[in-house]
Amino acid sequence: MTLSPVMDHQGQSEEQTPSPPVRSAMALYYFDFDDNGTIFPDDEGTECQDLAAVKYEAIKALAEMTKDALPDGDHHKLAIVVRDEGGDLAFRASIVFNVEEERDSSSSRSSPDSHA
């Protein structure tokens, strides 16, 4: 690595010292899972670069949970609550399954032949 000289405030040349590579600080986030009200807390955490990365990880995990979960009844809610290192809420994502049955309305309809 070659360094070009830098002029000091008096016009004298001095060698520039290399600065360490700049790295963004990774923050630790906890992804707690909520499966129909049953909470599964994350005790380990995941390091993420920024809030965009947190959202990506939460949505990806929620999609995986959705594939693995089978609705148990007519209503099922899956959620991920993301906490930062201080325990504050950073992000929440959820998905809800609702099963709605169609009524058999054929018995309440009158047929064209019933008006005789």
Side-chain angles (χ1 to χ4, degrees), residues 2-6 13-16:
T2 58
L3 298 173
S4 58
V6 175
S13 176
E14 60 182 41
E15 283 295 312
Q16 182 179 15

Side-chain angles (χ1 to χ4, degrees), residues 81-102:
V81 177
V82 183
R83 298 175 286 118
D84 64 16
E85 291 180 81
D88 295 325
L89 178 67
F91 183 78
R92 179 181 180 88
S94 63
I95 189 164
V96 176
F97 297 99
N98 282 317
V99 178
E100 298 174 8
E101 295 181 26
E102 250 185 78

Side-chain angles (χ1 to χ4, degrees), residues 69-83:
L70 293 174
D72 55 352
D74 293 342
H75 182 80
H76 197 98
K77 181 178 181 180
L78 299 171
I80 295 180
V81 177
V82 183
R83 298 175 286 118

Side-chain angles (χ1 to χ4, degrees), residues 21-62:
V22 178
R23 293 182 60 160
S24 326
M26 298 279 276
L28 193 61
Y29 291 90
Y30 297 91
F31 293 76
D32 300 330
F33 296 100
D34 179 341
D35 186 357
N36 247 12
T38 302
I39 307 295
F40 300 93
D42 176 6
D43 297 328
E44 295 178 21
T46 302
E47 286 188 336
C48 293
Q49 186 75 26
D50 53 22
L51 191 55
V54 171
K55 288 180 182 180
Y56 175 82
E57 290 298 324
I59 292 168
K60 186 172 87 171
L62 187 58

